[in-house]
Amino acid sequence: MKAWFATLSPRERIIVAAGGGLLIMALLIGSWLSFVDDVERMREVVSEQRVASQWMESAAQEALMLRKGGNQKRVANNGASLLSLVDQTAKRSGLGGAITRIEPDGSDKVRIRLERVNFDKMMRWLEALQTKHVVSIDSITIDQHQDNGLANVRLSLKGAR
């Protein structure tokens, strides 16, 4: 490389040296900009993680409060039977087609079998039952279905008395 550089005229040496310098500066600037982008991206991730962490902490506190029975926002079932309440809310939540069996179990429990149910929809439905209608999960068995996002579920729900 030195021999080749030595064979160049002084003008060509200046051009090659300037081009090499510009190439090195371009590489350094590109690396710096990439680094700055990565730092900014990481700041956004940290910010999102902080928000998620705060939400999880508040959800954990709410869960503890609910376990202790401290949620005063719950509303009663307005005299409707637990069986009809569960059936109606499931249908409103888009789970009616997944219910393969629903039957009373005593005066304050209902047993339900759901097949190929969308897991996320089911969890939102159960949360609504617990928070709005004072219905709690007595027992639950969830088997993952071979299709992503679907599950086969057996559960027993208990109404407030």
Side-chain angles (χ1 to χ4, degrees):
M1 184 87 160
K2 278 186 178 182
W4 171 78
F5 191 73
T7 62
L8 297 177
S9 69
R11 187 175 195 192
E12 291 173 331
R13 286 183 200 160
I14 292 173
I15 292 172
V16 169
L22 288 174
L23 179 65
I24 290 173
M25 278 195 341
L27 289 173
L28 289 174
I29 290 172
S31 297
W32 177 255
L33 291 176
S34 175
F35 173 74
V36 169
D37 286 344
D38 289 345
V39 168
E40 186 60 35
R41 216 176 3 257
M42 293 308 291
R43 283 186 179 145
E44 291 173 9
V45 167
V46 167
S47 176
E48 291 170 1
Q49 293 295 326
R50 280 190 183 130
V51 169
S53 174
Q54 290 170 349
W55 177 84
M56 284 186 232
E57 287 175 11
S58 69
Q61 290 174 354
E62 184 178 346
L64 287 173
M65 186 176 73
L66 289 172
R67 282 190 185 148
K68 294 177 183 176
N71 188 1
Q72 302 301 321
K73 292 189 240 177
R74 292 179 171 185
V75 294
N77 296 340
N78 298 327
S81 76
L82 181 60
L83 183 67
S84 66
L85 174 75
V86 168
D87 188 47
Q88 289 171 1
T89 57
K91 287 177 182 172
R92 278 197 304 261
S93 297
L95 303 176
I99 297 176
T100 58
R101 186 175 193 173
I102 183 168
E103 62 186 13
D105 183 13
S107 62
D108 66 339
K109 288 185 183 178
V110 173
R111 285 187 295 198
I112 305 167
R113 172 91 176 140
L114 300 151
E115 292 185 6
R116 294 180 46 89
V117 65
N118 180 293
F119 182 79
D120 293 336
K121 279 185 181 180
M122 181 197 64
M123 294 305 290
R124 285 190 292 272
W125 169 63
L126 290 173
E127 182 207 8
L129 280 175
Q130 288 181 320
T131 58
K132 294 180 183 176
H133 301 287
V134 196
V135 175
S136 60
I137 298 171
D138 188 47
S139 68
I140 187 166
T141 304
I142 301 173
D143 298 318
Q144 182 180 0
H145 193 271
Q146 55 187 292
D147 294 335
N148 282 341
L150 300 181
N152 295 326
V153 181
R154 291 183 309 278
L155 65 107
S156 176
L157 298 174
K158 184 176 183 177
R161 285 275 171 208

